[in-house]
Amino acid sequence: MPTVVALVAAMGVVLAGCTADADARASVAGGGRKAAEREERGAVRTALRRLVTDGTAPGAAALVRDGGGARFTAAGVADTRSGRRVERDDRFRAGSVTKTVIAALTLRLAGEGRLGLGDTVEQHLPGLVRGQGNNGRKITVGQLLTHTSGLFDYTADPVLAGQLSATEGTDGTNGAEGTDGTGRTEAHSPASLVRAALTHRPAFAPGAKWHYSNTNYVLLGMIVERVTGRSYAAGAERRILDPLALRATSFPGVRTTLPAPHGRAYDSRGGRWRDVTDLDPSSAGAAGEMISTLGDLSRLLGALLRGQVVPKAQLRRMEDTSASGGRYGMGLFPVRLPCGTTVWGHNGEVSGSYALAVATRDGRRTLVYRLNSAGPPAPKAETALLTAVFCPKR
């Protein structure tokens, strides 16, 4: 019979052998993972460079986050004059990615019993939605969230569009035309944006079809303020941004400048880049005023899809696309890739900026990318970028 010492010695050999095998397998797996990450980063860099070289934007940047950490890649420049490169922590206007936050906030309030998805607009904003066949008594909060209200999109109103275009300068500042005489643009109240939409007839009866309209989310912001007695920005900060420590995300209100650090924002007219960094965000409001970073949007979307922002039952409502024929849920939409993978998220477009934040349904792998010009880019170019991240080669 072996002695205790012999047994311990034998066990030591066996355990050492198991550890060596495990280390070898881990080394192989780690090497494979690093190789996959290098391949992914190369494909992402190629996709971003194409977006820059084809004239879509002066600069582009992406952040991929998963269990292996976060990987930042950029191409082009953040400032065409100085040649400054795009940095990971740069602030930018996130546009309609704001809708994801407003939708989550609305659902949180519904979960708290402050409002119901079946509530009508008239219940919370009496007398506001009327005229030209529009009827707030027949439009529900849920229909606003899913873009099935039929309300006209105020951004397509030619009078309002003309006013907004007139106040865009050519040197990164707002022009004097349409201002209060001091060079500052007159802020657009949410009610004034809604009134612009209500000069048009609805596209269809509430709930009958689907049509993306920024008017829906401006109204949601107004409803949130009515039921809480505080601004939607304050509500979002308290219930969503602060718990997730998203300290680089903000709602500027009427502040025309971006917080530091930031690059410049551009649009292209006459074959040259025009600086449109400073603008009046009040014309976007709850539909798209938010400022953020790649990192904050990545953490926001990952936490949301992991059930850390709204309860799972409400998250399922956000992902329910039945009302839109599979196109849109509540502040989220699916993107189906050629490899069969479906990712979830939202994009945002505002003068001088385009962003897209998407993630796997479990929230474990996210991609956020941005351009410093208004998009969206060509569908093939965007699909190439998403495929590089979510459809690895076998």
Side-chain angles (χ1 to χ4, degrees):
M1 171 177 272
T3 64
V4 171
V5 174
L7 282 172
V8 170
M11 289 177 64
V13 172
V14 172
L15 290 172
C18 290
T19 302
D21 289 344
D23 287 345
R25 288 193 296 270
S27 177
V28 171
R33 183 169 60 251
K34 289 180 179 178
E37 290 177 357
R38 285 195 299 270
E39 183 177 350
E40 171 208 277
R41 178 168 287 186
V44 168
R45 183 177 294 108
T46 297
L48 292 179
R49 285 175 175 169
R50 286 176 180 168
L51 289 169
V52 172
T53 57
D54 70 6
T56 300
L63 184 71
V64 178
R65 189 187 298 275
D66 56 20
R71 297 175 292 283
F72 171 73
T73 309
V77 296
D79 188 324
T80 58
R81 290 185 179 181
S82 69
R84 175 186 180 276
R85 295 186 178 278
V86 185
E87 300 294 340
R88 174 172 169 167
D89 294 331
D90 280 353
R91 271 68 166 174
F92 57 88
R93 302 187 192 279
S96 286
V97 182
T98 307
K99 291 181 174 69
T100 303
V101 174
I102 297 299
L105 174 59
T106 304
L107 286 163
R108 285 281 297 268
L109 293 171
E112 295 170 13
R114 308 291 291 276
L115 56 80
L117 300 188
D119 292 354
T120 65
V121 173
E122 181 73 12
Q123 285 176 252
H124 296 289
L125 304 171
L128 179 61
V129 179
R130 293 182 183 177
Q132 295 293 328
N134 298 286
N135 190 344
R137 294 183 178 89
K138 296 183 178 180
I139 298 172
T140 66
V141 170
Q143 288 165 349
L144 296 178
L145 285 163
T146 57
H147 293 293
T148 55
S149 70
L151 290 170
F152 183 84
D153 186 348
Y154 72 87
T155 63
D157 177 71
V159 175
L160 180 59
Q163 293 173 355
L164 298 178
S165 178
T167 59
E168 290 181 358
T170 58
D171 59 354
T173 61
N174 289 306
E177 184 179 356
T179 70
D180 62 4
T182 65
R184 296 174 301 185
T185 56
E186 180 182 356
H188 294 272
S189 70
S192 72
L193 301 176
V194 172
R195 285 195 296 269
L198 296 178
T199 62
H200 302 266
R201 294 189 61 81
F204 47 81
K209 298 179 182 179
W210 180 84
H211 173 69
Y212 189 92
S213 173
N214 289 287
T215 307
N216 294 316
Y217 275 72
V218 170
L219 283 167
L220 285 170
M222 296 175 73
I223 290 172
V224 165
E225 294 187 351
R226 182 61 61 91
V227 301
T228 64
R230 306 180 67 191
S231 69
Y232 60 79
E237 289 166 2
R238 176 188 171 191
R239 290 175 168 84
I240 299 173
L241 304 185
D242 289 347
L244 295 177
L246 303 181
R247 298 184 178 89
T249 301
S250 62
F251 293 84
V254 297
R255 188 180 70 240
T256 60
T257 58
L258 286 170
H262 67 82
R264 310 303 296 176
Y266 301 92
D267 72 6
S268 178
R269 295 187 186 180
R272 57 185 289 268
W273 293 117
R274 187 177 71 131
D275 192 319
V276 292
T277 306
D278 296 345
L279 56 81
D280 175 10
S282 67
S283 60
E289 71 161 295
M290 192 169 71
I291 293 170
S292 193
T293 63
L294 296 174
D296 269 18
L297 292 184
S298 175
R299 288 191 293 274
L300 167 67
L301 190 58
L304 175 64
L305 293 175
R306 290 193 298 271
Q308 297 171 357
V309 176
V310 299
K312 288 293 181 67
Q314 292 172 321
L315 177 58
R316 298 286 85 82
R317 298 293 295 268
M318 294 184 74
E319 297 171 332
D320 182 357
T321 62
S322 59
S324 65
R327 287 170 288 192
Y328 198 94
M330 295 181 175
L332 290 173
F333 59 76
V335 180
R336 299 170 183 85
L337 300 177
C339 63
T341 296
T342 296
V343 292
W344 290 80
H346 212 292
N347 62 355
E349 178 182 351
V350 68
S351 182
S353 180
Y354 176 80
L356 174 70
V358 290
T360 52
R361 193 165 187 175
D362 59 10
R364 293 181 179 177
R365 188 172 181 83
T366 63
L367 163 68
V368 182
Y369 92 95
R370 57 164 296 226
L371 306 172
N372 55 1
S373 72
K380 286 186 178 179
E382 186 164 89
T383 298
L385 177 58
L386 270 63
T387 298
V389 176
F390 296 106
C391 301
K393 295 179 181 179
R394 300 298 181 186

